[in-house]
Amino acid sequence: MSLNQYIQKIDRYLSKDEKLPIVVDVQNEADQAELVQHYHVGKNELIPGSKYCAPDEMPRYEELLNDLATIDKVLIVTGVTSYLKLDGERELQRFLRKLLSMPIAGHVVFITYQCKRYLPLYDQRTSRRIVVVDSTEKKAPDIVFAAPSIPLPKSAEAIKGIENFAVVAEAGSADTMYVVTGKSKDTFPHSLYNITSLRNAYDALVLKDASTRELPEEIGASAQWGYAMKLFEHKSSWADVIDDEFGSHTLLEHVFSNYANFSADRKWLYFIALKLFGAKNNWCLTAAARKANGINDFKKQVYRCILDKSVNDKNFWECYSSRKAVLQQMGNPSAELTSYCKVVFSKGINTICYLTDNTQKEQETIFAFLDQYGLEMNREKLIDILSKVYPALYQYLLPYRFGNALLDQYFQDYKYQKIINKILPEFESEVEEQAEKREYNYILSPRTAVIESLNRKDSQLYFMDAMGVEYLGYILSICRELNLITNITVCVSELPSITSRNKEFLDLFADAKYPTVLIKDIDDIKHHGKYDFDFYKNSRLPIHLIKELEVIRSVLVKIKDDLSEGPLQRVFMIADHGASRLAVLHDTENVWEMAEKGQHSGRCCPKSDVDEKPDFAADAGDFWALANYDRFKGSRKANVEVHGGATLEELCVPVIEFSYLAEKPEIVLMSVDKPDAAINEIPIVEVSFRKKAALKIFSTVSLQNVGIIVSGTYYPATELGNNYYRVDMLELKKQDTYYADVCTGDNVIAEKLPFIIKKEGQQERSLL
């Protein structure tokens, strides 16, 4: 049916005196415009729905209906149903039913817009007064309500105020219609239009870039979304904004090293970037951002994301390293640290794998773990884990090659028991056996006999108060990092092991060119509770070791700097005595009543003519010195560690000479039988019944006390001249590939150099 035919039907209505309105439903703006043009003539009055609207308000419908009922004219009404669609289907149908049944004074041609599915066409009483113009239906626009403060896209043709809504909605000129209004989507919960509200900067960002919908509004405060909105002023997408702020949205991990220096807004923006794009090459950042529900929660998730990983996952340690670095770059946020160190124990015996050495709190938690699980875990496995989670503690546990089986085993066992905070019965038996045998007397020389031969020219003394030999493995490990070469002599101090009896070496350096440096920090930690370490008050854990290792490292760095920058040729580090942690842990008084009270926390006691020699005590001149883990009565208990007695850890002391190796030597292993072999070839050592394994070492600098360590066994080298050295390895007979660490004295200067042993005359085959 053509529009003219519909017009004829409307004309017939107008020619009658029916006193009821007619409804004409159109499907597009063109048909409506033609109808309005046709009937808005003469005295016929056009009434738009907006006529009954106050600024930014919906029509006053009752006032409209009253005018329709009382004005004796031909009235052409438009726009009303577009407002009613905002209120929903129920309100629209209610209004139309009321309109169609309402008596009027004149004639009303009520034009509805795309309402045929809502009209009561089934009602025979009214259907004859409903005309549906059946033509092409224009798609209804999406509606965007924007608060006046929200900047809209430049391309948007916005109308101001809800009162102007209908005329634009029915014009159908754009797929999206912007209305600057105080109304929101929530005002029209049943709307037949698809409405989006731009109440704030977040809503505006959704409009700018649809991917904003992936970000819950709650993850940013209004000021933060406003900050982002300003960055969008000349950008069209999050990717553009992030590229401009951080270099590239695909390489976000590259700028995280500066995270701690970011402003609060930039930290939040970086978090948003991670939520949207992730960090391609950083598991921790991606995983934490994905789980976090805000910038503050992001810190929590950085800490806790590793808890979602099993220690058996193939990439566990890679993820561990990623998280550790992220926490360091974030400054290890303390707000989450305490709670993390509590919840991490949910991992039971695997707890240690989820801790780092980033902070003292975590280091202390590692010691708490060692106290709880140290006896349950395999020793080798635990030490291997420490190499990953607490390298300094692992370095402390590295063995020092004393060249004596008793000392080698004793100090490895002592250090391990110290960190797990336990004394094993078999070790206590060893201590008591040595208390009687005192084998150190013929194993080691007195310090007084050693220091006389020191080359003190252009040297400086570091007096390390209370630093025993337990730290030698750690010291050598740090020296390797710093290119410091050491010459170490282990000797014994005088009894009792107290400072007043053990500082004779100070006189030797009294007239030295460089003044003696006294390092009392270790002694202050062990005996005076520095940093609040106290066995009886604060913690029974050996957490004082944390600071002790830091002190030693800082001293070694200072020595390296002095040797590398000035005329100083060598530095000597000499200790007066060692100390015992296990004696404090043992916490027992002996049963002997002495005439005098115990001194130095009961480890020694002045002699008296009426005393009998106590069991496990060494004669120290005018003192008795206990060589087991008891203490004499009458002295206060030690609060961290103790000395004055005659255990190996109290008596054994190092004399260390340091020099600086400005250039790390290049070391090459060579076959003894093939001097013309290329230096980059893996040497092949042929062995037979008569022919024993041997290697040749070449160094680019002259070395002293050269040797190699293979599978834990040390083999000394003989100097051949011109920086060549020969090593005979009589024990090595099995055909295999081996790896050698090359040493000069106690210093490893090249690691894991491969060589092959094969039977003489056998065909070569791959052993690698």
Side-chain angles (χ1 to χ4, degrees):
M1 186 180 295
S2 67
L3 188 59
N4 285 334
Q5 291 174 308
Y6 292 121
I7 289 174
Q8 290 175 7
K9 187 173 182 179
I10 297 169
D11 286 345
R12 286 196 294 274
Y13 160 75
L14 293 175
S15 65
K16 299 177 181 178
D17 190 19
E18 193 164 346
K19 304 302 181 183
L20 290 169
I22 185 173
V23 172
V24 182
D25 187 58
V26 297
Q27 314 310 316
N28 54 63
E29 188 269 342
D31 287 347
Q32 176 167 267
E34 189 170 342
L35 283 173
V36 169
Q37 184 179 8
H38 182 83
Y39 287 108
H40 187 203
V41 293
K43 295 183 178 181
N44 295 352
E45 185 175 343
L46 177 64
I47 299 179
S50 59
K51 176 181 178 181
Y52 297 90
C53 296
D56 201 29
E57 295 293 339
M58 294 284 281
R60 299 180 296 278
Y61 296 114
E62 291 304 321
E63 184 178 334
L64 165 65
L65 290 173
N66 181 69
D67 284 351
L68 297 184
T70 58
I71 297 175
D72 187 11
K73 287 185 180 180
V74 175
L75 305 176
I76 300 97
V77 184
T78 61
V80 176
T81 55
S82 289
Y83 292 110
L84 286 164
K85 284 182 180 180
L86 290 172
D87 289 323
E89 180 177 348
R90 183 177 178 180
E91 289 301 312
L92 173 62
Q93 290 181 328
R94 186 189 68 79
F95 180 91
L96 290 173
R97 285 194 299 270
K98 186 174 183 178
L99 172 72
L100 285 166
S101 61
M102 182 183 71
I104 56 177
H107 291 84
V108 173
V109 179
F110 196 94
I111 300 177
T112 61
Y113 193 80
Q114 297 179 350
C115 291
K116 57 185 176 182
R117 62 182 65 86
Y118 310 113
L119 290 166
L121 299 172
Y122 55 86
D123 190 340
Q124 293 182 355
R125 294 171 299 172
T126 58
S127 60
R128 63 184 182 82
R129 287 183 287 110
I130 298 175
V131 178
V132 177
V133 179
D134 191 13
S135 60
T136 303
E137 184 174 335
K138 182 84 174 188
K139 179 182 178 299
D142 291 330
I143 310 302
V144 177
F145 286 166
S149 61
I150 300 300
L152 294 174
K154 293 179 180 179
S155 59
E157 296 180 5
I159 61 170
K160 186 176 181 181
I162 199 75
E163 74 273 19
N164 297 310
F165 170 79
V167 65
V168 179
E170 295 177 6
S173 59
D175 293 333
T176 302
M177 175 181 169
Y178 297 90
V179 183
V180 178
T181 175
K183 309 294 183 187
S184 71
K185 179 180 180 177
D186 295 339
T187 309
F188 305 104
H190 307 295
S191 172
L192 299 175
Y193 295 102
N194 177 35
I195 300 177
T196 300
S197 281
L198 300 183
R199 297 295 87 201
N200 48 41
Y202 173 81
D203 293 339
L205 288 168
V206 171
L207 184 64
K208 283 270 191 177
D209 186 335
S211 66
T212 307
R213 291 192 179 94
E214 299 173 22
L215 305 169
E217 185 175 357
E218 296 76 24
I219 68 172
S222 59
Q224 289 169 325
W225 291 119
Y227 161 73
M229 192 65 206
K230 291 178 182 177
L231 299 177
F232 263 85
E233 187 174 354
H234 302 293
K235 301 290 185 295
S236 59
S237 69
W238 280 107
D240 291 341
V241 169
I242 301 306
D243 287 350
D244 192 52
E245 291 296 313
F246 300 113
S248 172
H249 67 282
T250 62
L251 297 171
L252 288 170
E253 64 275 10
H254 288 189
V255 296
F256 191 73
S257 59
N258 294 321
Y259 183 85
N261 298 320
F262 288 172
S263 66
D265 281 339
R266 276 179 70 77
K267 285 180 179 177
W268 176 80
L269 183 66
Y270 187 83
F271 168 64
I272 293 298
L274 290 174
K275 290 288 279 186
L276 289 171
F277 305 109
K280 182 179 179 182
N281 298 308
N282 192 299
W283 165 83
C284 177
L285 290 175
T286 301
R290 186 184 300 122
K291 291 187 69 175
N293 56 27
I295 183 63
N296 291 328
D297 189 46
F298 177 56
K299 300 174 187 177
K300 177 180 178 179
Q301 297 306 330
V302 168
Y303 267 108
R304 300 197 180 193
C305 62
I306 193 67
L307 298 177
D308 296 332
K309 287 283 183 181
S310 165
V311 294
N312 298 316
D313 291 349
K314 289 182 179 180
N315 66 341
F316 176 82
W317 290 110
E318 179 183 344
C319 294
Y320 173 95
S321 297
S322 168
R323 169 186 173 272
K324 181 177 180 179
V326 167
L327 284 170
Q328 288 172 327
Q329 291 164 338
M330 291 181 78
N332 300 296
S334 58
E336 297 297 332
L337 182 56
T338 300
S339 62
Y340 177 78
C341 287
K342 292 178 181 177
V343 75
V344 71
F345 273 93
S346 65
K347 293 296 184 178
I349 201 166
N350 291 318
T351 293
I352 191 170
C353 298
Y354 297 85
L355 292 164
T356 76
D357 62 347
N358 279 2
T359 63
Q360 183 169 325
K361 177 65 177 177
E362 281 189 272
Q363 291 168 345
E364 291 177 0
T365 305
I366 288 174
F367 279 104
F369 169 86
L370 293 172
D371 177 60
Q372 184 172 343
Y373 291 101
L375 291 179
E376 294 183 40
M377 290 193 73
N378 173 272
R379 182 165 169 173
E380 287 72 26
K381 180 180 179 181
L382 179 56
I383 291 174
D384 179 64
I385 292 172
L386 283 173
S387 71
K388 301 178 178 69
V389 304
Y390 195 171
L393 194 56
Y394 166 77
Q395 290 170 310
Y396 169 75
L397 293 172
L398 288 174
Y400 173 75
R401 185 167 41 83
F402 289 92
N404 176 273
L406 167 65
L407 298 181
D408 287 345
Q409 190 63 50
Y410 183 94
F411 281 101
Q412 283 305 100
D413 290 343
Y414 172 81
K415 290 188 291 184
Y416 191 74
Q417 290 169 97
K418 179 173 175 176
I419 70 162
I420 67 171
N421 212 34
K422 303 289 186 296
I423 302 175
L424 302 179
E426 57 270 25
F427 185 79
E428 186 172 3
S429 296
E430 176 73 24
V431 171
E432 293 182 349
E433 181 180 335
Q434 285 303 310
E436 296 179 345
K437 290 183 176 180
R438 293 196 283 281
E439 293 180 76
Y440 62 81
N441 283 320
Y442 58 83
I443 295 174
L444 301 171
S445 300
R447 183 183 52 235
T448 53
V450 172
I451 60 175
E452 292 291 343
S453 61
L454 299 180
N455 180 4
R456 299 187 298 278
K457 184 180 179 182
D458 293 325
S459 67
Q460 186 172 30
L461 170 64
Y462 275 69
F463 172 15
M464 303 296 290
D465 196 347
M467 190 190 78
V469 296
E470 66 186 88
Y471 304 99
L472 288 178
Y474 176 74
I475 288 171
L476 285 175
S477 181
I478 303 304
C479 286
R480 193 178 311 173
E481 297 175 17
L482 302 176
N483 280 0
L484 285 173
I485 296 297
T486 64
N487 183 14
I488 300 175
T489 303
V490 175
C491 44
V492 290
S493 63
E494 297 292 326
L495 281 173
S497 53
I498 57 179
T499 302
S500 61
R501 297 290 183 94
N502 285 280
K503 53 183 181 179
E504 77 289 343
F505 52 88
L506 292 176
D507 293 336
L508 290 175
F509 289 86
D511 58 352
K513 180 179 178 181
Y514 301 97
T516 293
V517 179
L518 172 60
I519 305 297
K520 279 192 61 66
D521 295 64
I522 297 174
D523 186 75
D524 289 342
I525 289 169
K526 290 183 185 296
H527 313 310
H528 305 293
K530 188 175 182 180
Y531 305 114
D532 292 327
F533 298 126
D534 192 303
F535 184 81
Y536 297 99
K537 293 181 181 178
N538 299 328
S539 175
R540 288 178 173 260
L541 301 175
I543 56 176
H544 62 288
L545 189 55
I546 297 168
K547 288 295 184 183
E548 290 181 341
L549 298 180
E550 290 176 2
V551 167
I552 293 172
R553 172 180 274 276
S554 65
V555 170
L556 292 173
V557 170
K558 177 68 166 58
I559 290 172
K560 179 258 183 183
D561 291 342
D562 289 346
L563 286 171
S564 63
E565 295 174 2
L568 188 64
Q569 293 299 303
R570 61 189 60 82
V571 168
F572 291 98
M573 182 182 278
I574 303 178
D576 52 351
H577 54 75
S580 178
R581 172 65 175 185
L582 299 192
V584 176
L585 192 61
H586 200 271
D587 196 16
T588 55
E589 287 186 341
N590 65 16
V591 297
W592 296 90
E593 291 287 348
M594 310 302 291
E596 300 289 337
K597 291 183 178 180
Q599 295 183 9
H600 296 277
S601 301
R603 293 301 291 158
C604 58
C605 180
K607 284 183 178 179
S608 171
D609 292 338
V610 298
D611 291 340
E612 290 184 31
K613 178 182 177 298
D615 291 343
F616 305 120
D619 189 340
D622 51 351
F623 278 86
W624 297 116
L626 288 173
N628 69 346
Y629 285 153
D630 287 342
R631 65 175 179 269
F632 287 112
K633 295 179 180 179
S635 181
R636 70 170 182 82
K637 297 178 180 181
N639 55 358
V640 180
E641 294 200 13
V642 65
H643 64 91
T647 60
L648 288 175
E649 60 266 31
E650 292 171 283
L651 282 179
C652 295
V653 289
V655 174
I656 311 173
E657 179 182 348
F658 296 95
S659 57
Y660 179 62
L661 194 64
E663 178 185 352
K664 192 168 185 179
E666 183 179 351
I667 304 296
V668 179
L669 296 186
M670 306 172 70
S671 171
V672 171
D673 300 325
K674 297 180 180 179
D676 57 342
I679 63 172
N680 59 347
E681 288 184 5
I682 296 175
I684 297 174
V685 178
E686 294 184 341
V687 297
S688 65
F689 179 73
R690 287 190 175 84
K691 189 176 183 180
K692 306 307 179 184
L695 275 172
K696 204 158 54 168
I697 303 170
F698 172 75
S699 170
T700 54
V701 300
S702 178
L703 301 172
Q704 306 216 344
N705 300 322
V706 179
I708 66 172
I709 300 173
V710 180
S711 302
T713 301
Y714 177 78
Y715 300 95
T718 303
E719 187 172 354
L720 300 175
N722 297 319
N723 297 347
Y724 284 92
Y725 309 84
R726 178 188 172 102
V727 182
D728 292 293
M729 304 166 290
L730 303 183
E731 292 87 348
L732 295 184
K733 301 174 183 178
K734 183 181 176 182
Q735 184 166 288
D736 205 345
T737 298
Y738 296 85
Y739 295 88
D741 292 347
V742 180
C743 308
T744 171
D746 296 300
N747 310 276
V748 176
I749 55 175
E751 296 181 274
K752 297 181 180 178
L753 302 183
F755 65 95
I756 297 170
I757 288 183
K758 77 181 191 70
K759 300 294 184 181
E760 188 177 33
Q762 283 193 358
Q763 191 116 10
E764 290 187 19
R765 62 185 177 87
S766 175
L767 295 171
L768 292 175

